[in-house]
Amino acid sequence: MKILIAPDSFKESLTAQEAADAVECGLKKALPDAEYVKVPMADGGEGTVQSLLDATGGRRQTVEVRAPLGDRVAASFGLSGDGKTAFIEMAAASGLHLVPHEKRNPLITTSYGTGELIRAALEAGVGKIILGIGGSATNDGGAGMLQALGARLLDADGTELPPGGAALAGLARIDLSGLDACLKEVAVEVACDVDNPLCGEQGASAVFGPQKGATPQMVAELDAALNRFAHIVERDSGISIAHHPGAGAAGGMGGGLLLLPNACLKSGVEIVMEAVGLAEKIKDADWVITGEGRMDGQSVRGKTPAGVAKLAKRFGKPVIAIVGSLGADYAAVYDAGIDAVFPIIRSAGSLQETLQQGRANLISAAENIGRFYLVVSNR
């Protein structure tokens, strides 16, 4: 029996590789003779660069960039084995993990460091950039990123806007003439894990703002600021981003990236599945296991488990998801091709304790799934 293990990371607890290792460890306790194929996955968030480096035999480069709160941080990006493509994770420079829980405030966090990573990739002479935009701490519409690449975002007095999503409420003019000229020669493929619009009830601020520290009042303020941003962008550049699918990803970074000359938004999981050759690995598997930190109604909108399940169903394979926790609307994933879902939390505790117990909980859940399989198959 061959079991394919293709999970995403469990945010702030386990990398995709660590999650795959834990699932294998638990299953082996019940099914020691099975063959296991591990394919750590990503959908544009954490782990995307490593997955693509593994697929192309590439290498990492490290540069110092501006973190979400303005301090400096060492961040790496990847170069493919042939040096022609750069792999960047927004999270490396502008990620939620770079901001302590007590300091999370999307009114002031900036995506400037992501722009610095893009600039470093341009300086490396690549012809293509694959940019994963999951896991961000920001809600600034990519404004900081644009400023790092030479765009000017000005208030009514002609002064450059300060960092953060709240500042966009004062945007009076945007000037893209100073964007790095190299961008005209480089294709930017944005690995986007959701299709949310920029604003509104399903927009960046309302859906993703709370996990970045936004209160209900902040959500309303940020949504209004992004509406202002979209209006000025369309007026000054002719580019409509407000309702573009995926524009709301990563605090509106998806929308901001549409202002670059050769940028396009694509399904992040599709990019990674193609790069790692997942279809070939699924073909002869008996069943497929995927997973993520939290599964809810958003999981069907471009997230890793739904992407893996969709591909697996092309070959008629059963799919099991092992997840950290479940949202009230998680059952939507059953219509996306996932056959069964198993949460791993074994006992109540603080968030920090739960995150620290992630590996042990995942091993335990996988072992129990294996044992249940033995019960059913031996009937």
Side-chain angles (χ1 to χ4, degrees), residues 114-164:
T114 298
E116 291 180 296
L117 279 182
I118 294 173
R119 197 169 65 211
L122 296 175
E123 291 170 356
V126 300
K128 180 179 180 179
I129 294 173
I130 294 177
L131 171 60
I133 59 172
S136 77
T138 60
N139 204 102
D140 69 350
M145 174 273 300
L146 292 168
Q147 289 171 316
L149 291 172
R152 301 188 70 204
L153 280 70
L154 308 171
D155 65 16
D157 297 324
T159 302
E160 193 77 29
L161 291 186

Side-chain angles (χ1 to χ4, degrees), residues 30-102:
L31 305 169
D33 298 325
E35 178 183 354
Y36 297 95
V37 178
K38 294 179 292 183
V39 187
M41 287 294 299
D43 52 25
E46 297 165 76
T48 299
V49 167
Q50 191 58 54
S51 293
L52 295 173
L53 286 177
D54 291 342
T56 65
R59 64 192 186 279
R60 286 185 180 268
Q61 287 194 191
T62 301
V63 294
E64 188 179 88
V65 301
R66 187 182 301 181
L69 290 176
D71 49 317
R72 305 299 289 179
V73 63
S76 67
F77 67 97
L79 287 173
S80 60
D82 61 9
K84 295 180 180 180
T85 304
F87 310 127
I88 299 174
E89 286 177 17
M90 181 183 181
S94 310
L96 193 61
H97 69 285
L98 296 173
V99 184
H101 282 273
E102 67 276 9

Side-chain angles (χ1 to χ4, degrees), residues 286-344:
D286 291 290
W287 35 298
V288 176
I289 293 182
T290 186
E292 61 182 344
R294 176 179 170 81
M295 180 162 281
D296 54 27
Q298 285 291 315
S299 297
V300 302
R301 305 184 72 167
K303 295 288 190 177
T304 290
V308 171
K310 181 180 179 181
L311 184 60
K313 289 309 177 186
R314 279 173 43 192
F315 301 100
K317 308 298 182 180
V319 181
I320 292 172
I322 309 179
V323 302
S325 63
L326 295 171
D329 52 353
Y330 81 92
V333 302
Y334 294 135
D335 293 328
I338 293 174
D339 297 295
V341 180
F342 296 88
I344 67 173

Side-chain angles (χ1 to χ4, degrees), residues 97-314:
H97 69 285
L98 296 173
V99 184
H101 282 273
E102 67 276 9
K103 294 184 178 181
R104 292 179 179 177
N105 182 353
L107 296 175
I108 61 173
T109 48
T110 178
S111 59
Y112 194 94
T114 298
E116 291 180 296
L117 279 182
I118 294 173
R119 197 169 65 211
L122 296 175
E123 291 170 356
V126 300
K128 180 179 180 179
I129 294 173
I130 294 177
L131 171 60
I133 59 172
S136 77
T138 60
N139 204 102
D140 69 350
M145 174 273 300
L146 292 168
Q147 289 171 316
L149 291 172
R152 301 188 70 204
L153 280 70
L154 308 171
D155 65 16
D157 297 324
T159 302
E160 193 77 29
L161 291 186
L168 293 174
L171 181 64
R173 184 164 66 90
I174 183 166
D175 179 3
L176 302 177
S177 64
L179 279 175
D180 193 311
C182 293
L183 287 165
K184 296 178 181 178
E185 310 299 325
V186 177
V188 180
E189 198 170 88
V190 183
C192 182
D193 63 356
V194 298
D195 60 4
N196 300 70
L198 186 66
C199 307
E201 292 182 359
Q202 293 300 314
S205 307
V207 176
F208 307 113
Q211 71 189 42
K212 303 174 187 185
T215 64
Q217 182 177 348
M218 288 182 184
V219 166
E221 182 177 353
L222 288 165
D223 191 58
L226 287 179
N227 262 302
R228 176 69 177 175
F229 178 58
H231 169 71
I232 299 299
V233 165
E234 185 163 9
R235 186 198 70 189
D236 292 357
S237 70
I239 302 171
S240 178
I241 63 174
H243 304 292
H244 194 289
M253 174 64 93
L257 285 163
L258 292 172
L259 277 63
L260 303 186
N262 299 304
C264 65
L265 307 186
K266 297 181 66 175
S267 165
V269 69
E270 295 283 347
I271 291 173
V272 176
M273 288 193 303
E274 181 179 347
V276 302
L278 189 64
E280 288 300 314
K281 296 178 173 67
I282 284 178
K283 277 183 180 179
D284 60 350
D286 291 290
W287 35 298
V288 176
I289 293 182
T290 186
E292 61 182 344
R294 176 179 170 81
M295 180 162 281
D296 54 27
Q298 285 291 315
S299 297
V300 302
R301 305 184 72 167
K303 295 288 190 177
T304 290
V308 171
K310 181 180 179 181
L311 184 60
K313 289 309 177 186
R314 279 173 43 192

